Amino acid sequence: AQTVTQSQPEMSVQEAETVTLSCTYDTSENNYYLFWYKQPPSRQMILVIRQEAYKQQNATENRFSVNFQKAAKSFSLKISDSQLGDTAMYFCAFMKHGEGSRLTFGEGTQLTVNP
Amino acid sequence: GAGVSQSPRYKVAKRGQDVALRCDPISGHVSLFWYQQALGQGPEFLTYFQNEAQLDKSGLPSDRFFAERPEGSVSTLKIQRTQQEDSAVYLCASSLVSGGSNEQFFGPGTRLTVL
């Protein structure tokens, strides 16, 4: 079974600054995918960024980037130039390769961006 | 196009009542997932459909939980004889195809409160 751990229940950052959210996972799989999802107070879960485990290059989506360390089973999310709209709960999630694979989520990190 | 929709958005039930939660996935999406999200926690997998076939129901917590997707589109999650521990947000997600890193698109969820 896979487990995902987010050790920071809450984080805060000033607008325009950079913040890093941590995530570690445990798996015996070699082929898998990792995701960061954002859940604003409205509850709609939105995909922020994804990483394929077989790719060494870290994924980047505009202000969002990841630091993927496969050997250490670490997958952190960096948000640059933080904006007020980034305030949300962020979930790290794991999916093993294969048909119909479910997402396994961490406990979440509540990020607050302060003006 | 329309995203994943769920109804009702809020449901209050008395302990022992049966409830039915509906999910309308994105048109054409083959895969459909149900997750349960307890307060302050990450979502946890309940069950998975590929078209009308329920291929994985290993996450259903008890035989009081039942899900169906008879025509491969709309899905219903039914909870019989609700208990207080069933109180949670129930999230539905769909993806175009199964497996791989295909993005799961989430609905807004149904918040179930059992009194």
Side-chain angles (χ1 to χ4, degrees):
Chain A
Q2 286 70 231
T3 60
V4 178
T5 302
Q6 294 178 249
S7 58
Q8 305 154 313
E10 298 179 355
M11 294 276 288
S12 63
V13 63
Q14 292 299 121
E15 197 174 5
E17 293 189 346
T18 296
V19 64
T20 298
L21 308 184
S22 301
C23 173
T24 58
Y25 60 95
D26 189 24
T27 185
S28 58
E29 302 285 334
N30 190 52
N31 197 3
Y32 53 87
Y33 308 92
L34 295 163
F35 305 83
W36 279 97
Y37 278 87
K38 169 185 178 182
Q39 189 177 43
S42 66
R43 270 207 322 269
Q44 195 108 23
M45 195 84 75
I46 303 165
L47 178 65
V48 174
I49 196 165
R50 85 186 80 186
Q51 174 80 42
E52 289 87 350
Y54 63 85
K55 289 187 178 179
Q56 291 188 336
Q57 186 172 5
N58 290 323
T60 299
E61 289 286 344
N62 301 313
R63 299 183 294 108
F64 299 87
S65 61
V66 298
N67 183 3
F68 173 48
Q69 301 290 328
K70 190 173 183 179
K73 295 181 181 174
S74 170
F75 183 62
S76 61
L77 174 69
K78 185 172 81 171
I79 306 174
S80 304
D81 185 27
S82 297
Q83 300 176 359
L84 297 178
D86 295 334
T87 293
M89 183 74 85
Y90 286 81
F91 290 98
C92 177
F94 171 100
M95 178 195 290
K96 70 177 184 179
H97 178 77
E99 183 175 289
S101 288
R102 87 257 318 252
L103 289 164
T104 300
F105 289 88
E107 308 92 329
T109 296
Q110 175 62 49
L111 175 67
T112 301
V113 180
N114 299 309
Chain B
V4 178
S5 61
Q6 293 185 247
S7 61
R9 291 292 308 275
Y10 302 89
K11 177 69 178 177
V12 178
K14 291 183 178 179
R15 190 173 57 184
Q17 282 185 332
D18 298 347
V19 298
L21 312 180
R22 178 188 169 105
C23 172
D24 282 83
I26 294 173
S27 178
H29 276 198
V30 168
S31 297
L32 187 146
F33 300 80
W34 283 98
Y35 295 87
Q36 180 190 56
Q37 186 176 19
L39 186 63
Q41 301 292 316
E44 292 191 351
F45 170 80
L46 293 176
T47 187
Y48 158 68
F49 289 86
Q50 182 176 323
N51 296 307
E52 69 278 3
Q54 188 175 20
L55 298 186
D56 187 350
K57 54 182 181 179
S58 61
L60 296 176
S62 78
D63 58 7
R64 296 185 296 105
F65 286 70
F66 172 77
E68 60 183 5
R69 194 186 184 197
E71 298 179 359
S73 178
V74 171
S75 177
T76 303
L77 176 66
K78 297 179 179 178
I79 309 174
Q80 297 177 324
R81 304 181 304 281
T82 53
Q83 304 294 315
Q84 285 189 325
E85 61 263 28
D86 300 336
S87 295
V89 174
Y90 290 85
L91 298 172
C92 175
S94 71
S95 66
L96 184 60
V97 295
S98 62
S101 65
N102 293 288
E103 180 178 352
Q104 291 186 23
F105 294 85
F106 283 81
T110 294
R111 182 181 295 280
L112 173 65
T113 302
V114 182
L115 303 177

